[in-house]
């Protein structure tokens, strides 16, 4: 017999459903922190871009972006590269 808790989690027991519910709450909290950190990174990136452009430089520093891509790839494997590309896209061109 399923309960509302097991229905929402896909678990087959209330005990497993409780574990899943608690873990999902932790994931939601982590996601909120990650989003906040990305928003902070976007703001810092805008400061860098503004300084670079106002000094006559280009909006994007491709060498630096390659360093960031390598850092994420080294830390997280191949999917880290895709994650870094998405983050860099979010942080580019806000000026």
């Amino acid at each position: 017999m399923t309960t509302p808790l097991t229905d929402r989690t896909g678990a087959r027991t209330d005990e497993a459903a409780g574990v899943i519910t608690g873990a999902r709450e932790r994931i939601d909290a982590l996601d909120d922190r990650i989003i906040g950190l990305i928003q902070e990174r976007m703001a810092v990136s805008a400061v860098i871009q503004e300084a670079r452009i106002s000094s006559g430089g280009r909006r994007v520093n491709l060498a630096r972006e390659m360093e960031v891509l390598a850092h994420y790839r080294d830390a997280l494997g191949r999917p880290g590269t895709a994650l870094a590309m998405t983050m860099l896209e979010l942080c580019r061109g806000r000026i």
Side-chain angles (χ1 to χ4, degrees):
M1 177 172 135
T2 62
T3 65
L5 189 57
T6 56
D7 286 344
R8 282 183 299 184
T9 63
R12 296 200 175 204
T13 66
D14 285 337
E15 181 181 348
V19 169
I20 291 168
T21 298
R24 284 181 178 169
E25 289 170 0
R26 179 79 174 122
I27 284 174
D28 290 344
L30 288 167
D31 285 344
D32 288 342
R33 287 175 48 199
I34 291 166
I35 290 167
L37 289 170
I38 291 171
Q39 289 170 331
E40 183 178 349
R41 190 189 194 287
M42 290 168 66
V44 173
S45 182
V47 169
I48 292 168
Q49 289 176 50
E50 186 175 320
R52 189 182 305 117
I53 290 168
S54 68
S55 71
R58 298 180 65 172
R59 179 176 56 87
V60 175
N61 180 334
L62 295 178
R64 173 62 181 151
E65 288 197 357
M66 294 306 291
E67 290 174 10
V68 172
L69 291 170
H71 181 68
Y72 274 70
R73 182 192 64 240
D74 292 346
L76 302 172
R78 190 167 178 237
T81 304
L83 177 62
M85 284 297 297
T86 299
M87 185 195 56
L88 289 170
E89 183 179 342
L90 285 168
C91 292
R92 271 189 219 124
R94 299 292 181 187
I95 298 175

